[in-house]
Amino acid sequence: MTKVIAITGKGGTGKTAVAALLIRSLSKKGKFLLAVDADADTNLPETLGCENVKTIGDAKEYLQAEITKPKPEHPDMNKEAVLKSKIYEIIEEMPGYDLLVMGRPEGSGCYCYVNNLLRGIMDKLIANYDIVIIDAEAGLEHFSRKIIRDIDELIVVTDASRRGFRTAERIHELVDELDSNIGRIHVIANKVTDTNREKLVKLAEDLKLSMIGMIPLDPKIEEMDIKGIPLFQISDDSVAAVEIENIIKKLGL
Ligand SMILES: Nc1ncnc2c1ncn2[C@@H]1O[C@H](COP(=O)(O)OP(=O)(O)OP(=O)(O)O)[C@@H](O)[C@H]1O
Ligand SMILES: [Mg+2]
């Protein structure tokens, strides 16, 4: 059975960093892995060290343009087959994992038809993998549009800010309203320091959020940021990579 893990949280808290660290570690363990960048402001590929990736957004726009033309050039085309072949073309095969980027938000108009096709294609695609890691955005757009239906583990990343926790709380509420199937929800506190550690534990307790890990503010990540080195290349002994291993164990992966 495929395990689908989605990562969400307030802007800038470290969603992409957590996704990249999970992908890095799980790919080393030999899992058959799909990484999905579901944030319109795509930056997972860069964090993983991939360049020039094509996006599902482009494939959707192509099909949407075809079906909304007053006189389609290919009226008899099998739309599902066209979208499927475009999506399989877009999948980037990286060493240890595959990468799929959702890309730009939809234009105006109704994308229900295209999204329905996409949902069926995504269901079949996801079933091919052991683990799917999704770098999502706080609004959980793709889940509310049910493009990705089932999530086993929803991880909400927060920093020490009250707003970060508020977002985590709101996501909890949002999940109840979503028509998606969401298994468990966890919180990861990120950029933890000796000064904010206790405050973070207390905030999580007050809000009744289950904390699955506390990733320290990592000087190696800060150094890599400054030098522009992809986080995927971080060493196993960095404090963030060590805590990610603990989180992977707790998730039973
Ligand atoms: N544990 C950490 N220690 C040090 N720096 C970190 C840590 N986690 C993330 N960062 C840095 O914080 C910045 C924001 O992280 P990241 O881009 O992962 O956040 P995000 O939640 O994905 O942001 P966005 O909402 O823009 O997508 C990045 O420069 C990242 O390298
Ligand atoms: Mg991000």
Side-chain angles (χ1 to χ4, degrees), residues 92-239:
E92 198 79 25
E93 287 178 23
M94 302 299 295
Y97 65 96
D98 286 351
L99 173 67
L100 192 57
V101 179
M102 298 297 240
R104 58 172 155 170
E106 294 168 355
S108 59
C110 176
Y111 281 67
C112 301
Y113 178 75
V114 176
N115 282 339
N116 270 342
L117 291 181
L118 181 59
R119 183 167 65 209
I121 296 166
M122 288 299 288
D123 276 350
K124 286 191 196 117
L125 175 70
I126 283 173
N128 293 331
Y129 293 89
D130 296 328
I131 302 177
V132 180
I133 303 277
I134 306 166
D135 179 10
E137 72 285 71
L140 295 176
E141 284 285 306
H142 298 289
F143 306 104
S144 48
R145 272 190 256 113
K146 290 184 265 167
I147 291 168
I148 300 168
R149 264 187 286 220
D150 300 328
I151 304 160
D152 298 293
E153 315 277 356
L154 182 67
I155 296 178
V156 187
V157 181
T158 183
D159 52 20
S161 69
R162 195 154 273 277
R163 281 212 303 136
F165 270 87
R166 279 273 141 72
T167 306
E169 209 184 4
R170 265 206 308 276
I171 289 166
H172 251 269
E173 292 160 7
L174 177 67
V175 162
D176 295 333
E177 293 159 23
L178 287 181
D179 205 6
S180 291
N181 246 335
I182 296 183
R184 300 189 293 177
I185 306 177
H186 317 272
V187 172
I188 290 182
N190 188 26
K191 307 186 192 180
V192 177
T193 61
D194 289 341
T195 352
N196 66 25
R197 183 175 293 269
E198 272 179 36
K199 180 185 154 194
L200 282 159
V201 172
K202 179 149 189 341
L203 261 173
E205 278 171 10
D206 289 350
L207 298 174
K208 298 189 172 52
L209 298 171
S210 112
M211 186 102 89
I212 197 169
M214 300 185 92
I215 304 177
L217 182 74
D218 189 333
K220 283 216 175 112
I221 298 186
E222 291 178 310
E223 190 191 326
M224 292 172 90
D225 265 346
I226 292 168
K227 292 186 177 158
I229 302 169
L231 188 53
F232 196 78
Q233 292 174 24
I234 202 164
S235 53
D236 288 340
D237 62 356
S238 88
V239 282

